[in-house]
């Protein structure tokens, strides 16, 4: 993977060859996807949301197209941390930093999950705490809605997991200032801004909500301006490294997130439209840098904030 | 935003044929394509039907479920004992039936209101025909598939429809409940062993 300009970035201590991370929930555990051919343009991969025990996920309709967006209600279908750590990951090539997206159901399960990950021969490079899944009962997004939930989760996770610990926020949290303060004091190393936006759909032919759980998570280009705004606000509140996420669908979107203060960017729904989107984004970013004689994408981080009168 | 899953209905040298019904925005857009237009196609994806092994091969299609079974018929059916059965709802499907006849595909048709072929359903046709050693492949609406499953054919494969997002096995949007867990229609299917599918869970 070579580009004519420097696309390498770091998020805290985590170094990546490009600023693009595959967002959780979009990358299969099938071998061919972990080979160089499929990973073009990708700097790191976040796993499907993991729980201690396997989960079958939700019944009924799970995905629904909206104008420029995608509603999903997958419900954390996953093989469980034991299978992930013991069989799945050891059987796959490790060509990029691996981010284990760990969903929080119960605190004792979380502790056990992180123990299992920590004990791997080659643990994931990062744990991304998902306190923001809108599609499950009992935990999920509930942990990320207020500062006390965030603190409880970090107080359990931080002593167990010694590597970089990222916290994936939910846009549904009303007090961003309190959440970021709790993340800082709880020892998070970076924030992912953010998970999906709560939405819904009604099937007028059936005269009923599309999803069994009524509400679902909205992603895709429709949410990009919302995510960008949330990222901008978060960057005003904290000095923690930030990862932008939500609706990124071009190299310019990646640049916008970076200029707003992100160190790296996660890409999810764009892959659904165009599997090799990350490669295209990298080429677009590289061309942008080259045309302007800029040396690296990392040098642009936060540049759109300069001269703005704001806190921090 | 999303692609639309379609079966390959026939193949002739380097041309793949599609057969689709206009249902909404996506299929509407396909139907208004001009000759020479370019399409972005990903595929073929997933797993198809296995090589048939039963005494006779009976293909049961419900309406547009015909698409993958037409392909199967031209690949296997025409050269071995068996039948292609098609069930439709009303005379709106006359065009499709005539097209099949022009194509030289022998096909027994059942129609809910009796306006084409025999009055009844494709399951009625199958029930009258089926013998113990037959192999059945089916594609159609869920209620029809469940009724075919109830006939308990010795070898039984189904091509299932599920809403899809990614089409490459990543999003888990298209899963089908089976005895081996929830499997992805886009890469583990869309053809499944009909005896493995948990039909009651599918209908939820
Ligand atoms: C493996 C597979 C093969 C298929 N092969 C064919 C084919 O060869 N010919 C054909 O006509 N159709 C086929 N379908 C169904 C076809 O994909 C849908 O009709 C199509 O996606 C509808 O898109 P739309 O934008 O026109 O409709 P939308 O506006 O998205 O929806 C209109 C209606 O179509 C239904 N629908 C939407 N998506 C699907 C879906 N993925 N599967 C079933 N129903 C759906 C909705 O419930 C709704 O009632 C296949 C589906 C699958 C999963
Ligand atoms: C099908 C699907 C499954 C997802 N699964 C997860 C998950 O397991 N854990 C998680 O933290 N986020 C999950 N997400 C959210 C994405 O990781 C991402 O935060 C969100 O989709 C916004 O980014 P995007 O617009 O680029 O997709 C999922 C999103 C989709 C579309
Ligand atoms: S459509 Fe995404 S897994 Fe099948």
């Amino acid at each position: 993977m070579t580009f004519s300009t420097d696309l390498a970035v770091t998020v805290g201590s985590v170094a990546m060859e490009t600023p693009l991370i595959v967002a959780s929930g979009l990358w299969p555990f099938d071998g061919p996807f972990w080979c160089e051919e499929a990973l073009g343009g990708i700097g790191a991969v976040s796993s499907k949301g993991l729980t201690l025990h396997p989960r079958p996920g939700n019944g009924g309709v799970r995905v629904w197209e909206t104008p420029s967006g995608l509603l999903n209600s997958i419900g954390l279908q996953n093989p469980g941390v034991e299978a992930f750590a013991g069989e799945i990951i050891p059987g796959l090539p490790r060509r990029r930093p691996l981010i284990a997206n760990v969903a929080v159901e119960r605190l004792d399960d979380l502790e056990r999950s992180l123990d299992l990950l920590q004990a791997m021969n080659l643990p994931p490079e990062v744990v991304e705490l998902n306190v923001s899944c809108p599609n499950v009962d009992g935990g999920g997004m509930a942990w990320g809605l207020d500062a006390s939930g965030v603190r409880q989760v970090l107080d359990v996770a931080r002593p167990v997991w010694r590597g970089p610990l990222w916290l994936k926020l939910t846009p549904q949290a009303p007090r961003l200032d309190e959440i970021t303060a709790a993340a800082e004091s709880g020892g998070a190393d970076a924030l992912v801004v953010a998970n999906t936006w709560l939405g819904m759909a009604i099937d007028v032919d059936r005269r009923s909500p599309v999803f069994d759980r009524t509400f679902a998570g909205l992603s895709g280009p429709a949410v990009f301006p919302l995510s960008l705004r949330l990222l901008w606000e978060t960057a005003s509140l904290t000095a923690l490294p930030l990862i932008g996420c939500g609706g990124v669908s071009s190299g310019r979107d990646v640049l916008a997130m970076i200029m707003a203060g992100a160190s790296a960017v996660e890409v999810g729904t764009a892959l659904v439209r165009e599997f090799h989107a990350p490669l295209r984004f990298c080429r677009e970013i590289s061309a942008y840098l080259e045309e302007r004689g800029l040396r690296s994408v990392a040098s642009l981080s936060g540049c759109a904030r300069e001269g703005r009168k704001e806190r921090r | 935003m999303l692609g639309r899953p379609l079966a390959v209905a026939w193949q002739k040298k380097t041309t793949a044929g599609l057969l689709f019904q206009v249902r909404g925005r996506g299929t509407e857009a396909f139907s208004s394509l001009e000759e020479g237009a370019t399409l972005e196609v990903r595929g073929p994806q997933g797993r198809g039907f296995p090589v048939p092994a039963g005494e006779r091969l009976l293909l049961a299609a419900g309406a547009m479920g015909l698409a993958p079974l037409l392909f199967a018929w031209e690949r296997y059916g025409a050269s071995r004992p068996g039948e292609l059965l098609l069930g439709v709802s009303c005379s709106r499907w006359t065009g499709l039936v005539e097209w099949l006849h022009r194509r030289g595909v022998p096909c027994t048709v059942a129609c809910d209101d009796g306006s084409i072929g025999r009055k009844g359903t494709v399951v009625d046709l199958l029930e009258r025909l089926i013998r113990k050693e037959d192999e059945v492949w089916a594609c159609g609406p869920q209620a029809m598939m469940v009724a075919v499953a109830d006939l308990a054919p010795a070898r039984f494969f189904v091509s299932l429809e599920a809403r899809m997002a990614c089409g490459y096995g990543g999003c888990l949007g298209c899963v089908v409940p089976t005895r081996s867990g929830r499997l992805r229609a886009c890469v583990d299917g869309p053809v499944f062993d009909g005896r493995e599918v948990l039909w009651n869970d599918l209908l939820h």
Side-chain angles (χ1 to χ4, degrees):
Chain A
M1 191 166 51
T2 46
F3 299 95
S4 49
T5 56
D6 183 7
L7 300 188
V9 299
T10 54
V11 181
S13 61
V14 185
M16 311 192 306
E17 277 184 51
T18 83
L20 303 182
I21 302 167
V22 175
S24 174
L26 279 303
W27 208 248
F29 292 125
D30 307 281
F33 288 84
W34 299 76
C35 298
E36 204 50 55
E37 209 278 304
L39 290 166
I42 292 171
V45 177
S46 179
S47 74
K48 175 67 198 167
L50 301 165
T51 49
L52 180 58
H53 304 291
R55 278 183 64 102
N58 294 337
V61 172
R62 287 181 165 194
V63 287
W64 186 267
E65 192 183 72
T66 69
S68 294
L70 175 67
L71 281 165
N72 90 78
S73 179
I74 309 295
L76 293 177
Q77 175 174 342
N78 80 91
V81 171
E82 205 165 318
F84 174 86
E87 299 152 38
I88 297 172
I89 291 303
L92 292 170
R94 185 79 77 83
R95 299 188 193 280
R96 297 289 186 280
L98 172 67
I99 300 163
N101 181 278
V102 178
V104 183
E105 289 181 302
R106 293 159 26 150
L107 293 176
D108 47 349
D109 284 359
L110 172 65
E111 186 171 3
R112 178 91 191 100
S113 296
L114 295 176
D115 267 335
L116 288 169
L117 293 173
Q118 189 72 70
M120 287 173 72
N121 273 339
L122 193 57
E125 275 73 8
V126 177
V127 162
E128 178 181 59
L129 286 174
N130 173 2
V131 290
S132 44
C133 179
N135 299 323
V136 293
D137 288 326
M141 184 174 85
W143 293 105
L145 283 176
D146 60 37
S148 79
V150 166
R151 247 335 264 270
Q152 283 182 67
V153 167
L154 286 171
D155 285 349
V156 169
R158 188 66 279 184
V160 187
W161 175 253
R162 292 189 293 276
L165 188 61
W166 298 357
L167 189 72
K168 187 167 177 182
L169 306 184
T170 166
Q172 276 70 241
R175 292 297 301 266
L176 197 57
D177 53 343
E178 294 175 9
I179 300 275
T180 50
E184 280 179 3
S185 63
D189 296 306
L191 303 177
V192 182
V193 191
N195 210 313
T196 49
W197 299 71
L198 207 57
M200 75 175 286
I202 288 181
D203 185 339
V204 295
D205 293 323
R206 286 174 42 227
R207 301 188 194 183
S208 86
V210 164
F211 296 102
D212 282 5
R213 296 176 49 81
T214 311
F215 302 151
L218 182 64
S219 62
V223 308
F224 177 75
L226 300 169
S227 310
L228 185 63
R229 186 267 300 161
L230 202 62
L231 174 74
W232 182 280
E233 280 191 306
T234 313
S236 311
L237 293 164
T238 179
L240 286 175
L242 302 178
I243 296 104
C245 178
V248 169
S249 42
S250 68
R252 295 185 86 86
D253 290 349
V254 176
L255 288 166
M257 290 261 187
I258 289 174
M259 291 177 185
S263 303
V265 167
E266 294 195 358
V267 177
T269 306
L271 300 170
V272 162
R273 270 220 59 176
E274 181 189 351
F275 182 69
H276 289 293
L279 199 54
R280 172 167 68 86
F281 297 175
C282 284
R283 292 201 179 110
E284 289 169 1
I285 297 167
S286 204
Y288 176 95
L289 297 175
E290 210 162 336
E291 278 161 26
R292 288 158 184 81
L294 296 165
R295 57 194 165 78
S296 77
V297 70
S299 67
L300 293 174
S301 186
C303 70
R305 316 182 67 81
E306 280 158 23
R308 296 258 152 185
K309 275 204 222 80
E310 264 195 333
R311 280 199 288 157
R312 272 249 190 56
Chain B
M1 271 296 307
L2 307 180
R4 296 294 189 272
L6 291 178
V8 175
W10 49 266
Q11 186 203 343
K12 196 172 166 196
K13 295 200 178 118
T14 56
T15 307
L18 304 177
L19 203 55
F20 63 88
Q21 180 187 12
V22 174
R23 297 285 298 275
R25 219 158 54 88
T27 43
E28 176 74 53
F30 292 154
S31 74
S32 51
L33 284 174
E34 311 255 320
E35 201 178 323
T38 331
L39 271 181
E40 194 188 312
V41 177
R42 206 190 292 156
Q45 295 285 88
R47 301 196 183 152
F49 290 103
V51 176
E55 197 140 282
R56 296 185 304 172
L57 181 60
L58 304 180
L59 305 179
M64 276 328 297
L66 174 68
L69 294 181
L70 176 62
F71 185 87
W73 173 262
E74 298 191 340
R75 184 76 168 265
Y76 298 116
S79 57
R80 60 195 335 279
E83 284 215 38
L84 175 60
L85 314 171
L86 171 66
V88 295
S89 55
C90 62
S91 59
R92 277 179 36 234
W93 293 87
T94 311
L96 177 65
V97 174
E98 283 173 355
W99 178 83
L100 274 178
H101 286 156
R102 279 200 306 277
R103 204 177 161 79
V105 178
C107 165
T108 311
V109 181
C111 182
D112 293 344
D113 69 4
S115 56
I116 331 171
R118 293 194 209 158
K119 188 171 163 68
T121 68
V122 69
V123 184
D124 298 336
L125 293 179
L126 189 61
E127 201 167 3
R128 235 170 283 150
L129 213 65
I130 193 168
R131 291 198 301 253
K132 227 169 131 241
E133 300 306 317
D134 289 338
E135 173 157 352
V136 175
W137 294 357
C139 183
Q142 282 184 3
M144 166 204 145
M145 306 282 255
V146 173
V148 176
D150 283 343
L151 297 178
R155 273 174 63 91
F156 175 36
F157 291 91
V158 292
S159 183
L160 294 179
E161 291 192 354
R163 283 187 165 270
M164 292 184 182
C166 72
Y168 60 73
C171 74
L172 307 180
C174 65
V175 298
V176 169
T178 74
R179 286 183 206 288
S180 334
R182 291 187 167 163
L183 299 182
R184 301 161 295 180
C186 65
V187 290
D188 304 319
V191 174
F192 293 93
D193 186 328
R195 291 162 312 177
E196 289 283 307
V197 176
L198 302 174
W199 295 102
N200 287 331
D201 294 2
L202 191 68
L203 294 174
H204 54 272

